[in-house]
Amino acid sequence: VALCDVSAESLEQTRALCTRAAPAGTRISTHEADVSDESQVIGFRDAVLDVHETDHIHLLFNNAGIGAVVSFLLDDREAWEKTFAVCWDGVYYCSRAFVPLLVASPEGHLVNTSSVNGFWASLGPQSAHSAYSSAKFAVKGFTEALINDFRINAPHVGVSLVMPGHIGTSIVINSGRILGREPKE
C-alpha cells in the first residue's frame, strides 16, 4: 500500500489506520506529494516502484480533492485553478503515471473518486462552487470514457467511478489551509 498526501500529519494518521487493519507483513509506504504537480506525481510513482520493488500495481485509487467554495466570477484565479488542478489534474496526472503499471499487471483496477457535485454543480442557490464541480464533472466523464477504452485496449484492467455525497472529513479545513484561507470549524 502506497499512500500520497500533501500533509505529513494526514499521511501518518492514514498509515496508522492501515497498519492496524492490514494483515501482518503488509508493506505500507507514505509519500508527500502534491498531485496537482506532475513532476511530484512522477517522483511519487518512481518512489513506489523503488520502495515496493515492483514493476506493476494491481489497484490505483485516485482520491484527491480540495473542497473550496470558489466562484469563477468573484474569487481570485489562483484559488480557482488550484482547486481545479487538485481535483482534476491530480486524477489525470496519477492516471498517466500509474495506469501503465496497472496494464503491466496480470489484472488491475482503477478507481476514480468524483463527487455528487459531478452530477449537479451546486451546493445550493447561495453558494458558487464552480471549480470543484467542474473538476468533478471532468473526473466523471474521463472515467466513463476509460471504461470503453480499457475494455478495448486493456481488458484485464477494470475501471470504477465513485460518486460520494457529503462525508464527514476534514476536507473543508484542509482546503482552507492549502488555499491560504482561514480554516473553518
Side-chain angles (χ1 to χ4, degrees):
V1 177
L3 307 167
C4 170
D5 200 321
V6 294
S7 164
E9 179 182 344
S10 293
L11 277 171
E12 286 311 310
Q13 290 172 354
T14 306
R15 178 204 289 268
L17 291 170
C18 290
T19 301
R20 283 194 299 272
T26 301
R27 186 179 303 172
I28 301 168
S29 64
T30 60
H31 310 267
E32 275 190 67
D34 179 347
V35 296
S36 70
D37 179 331
E38 189 171 20
S39 65
Q40 290 187 42
V41 170
I42 299 300
F44 168 46
R45 181 207 55 208
D46 293 347
V48 168
L49 293 173
D50 183 50
V51 169
H52 292 271
E53 300 171 343
T54 190
D55 62 356
H56 67 280
I57 62 173
H58 294 281
L59 296 168
L60 173 60
F61 294 87
N62 285 320
N63 187 43
I66 53 176
V69 177
V70 179
S71 167
F72 183 80
L73 296 172
L74 302 178
D75 289 303
D76 61 80
R77 183 177 180 150
E78 291 78 22
W80 203 98
E81 290 179 356
K82 182 63 174 181
T83 301
F84 192 86
V86 170
C87 295
W88 160 244
D89 290 344
V91 170
Y92 178 72
Y93 294 154
C94 286
S95 295
R96 281 286 180 198
F98 286 96
V99 163
L101 304 176
L102 282 174
V103 173
S105 71
E107 66 177 320
H109 206 94
L110 169 64
V111 180
N112 288 333
T113 301
S114 178
S115 167
V116 69
N117 290 110
F119 286 122
W120 72 80
S122 176
L123 290 177
Q126 300 303 316
S127 294
H129 203 47
S130 59
Y132 182 84
S133 294
S134 297
K136 294 305 183 177
F137 267 84
V139 172
K140 179 181 181 289
F142 175 64
T143 307
E144 290 176 354
L146 286 181
I147 292 169
N148 193 52
D149 197 350
F150 281 39
R151 186 176 338 168
I152 295 165
N153 297 303
H156 64 293
V157 179
V159 182
S160 295
L161 176 64
V162 179
M163 303 285 292
H166 175 74
I167 299 187
T169 69
S170 56
I171 189 170
V172 173
I173 293 168
N174 292 337
S175 298
R177 288 181 184 137
I178 290 168
L179 295 172
R181 296 177 175 179
E182 192 63 33
K184 298 178 182 177
E185 289 297 321

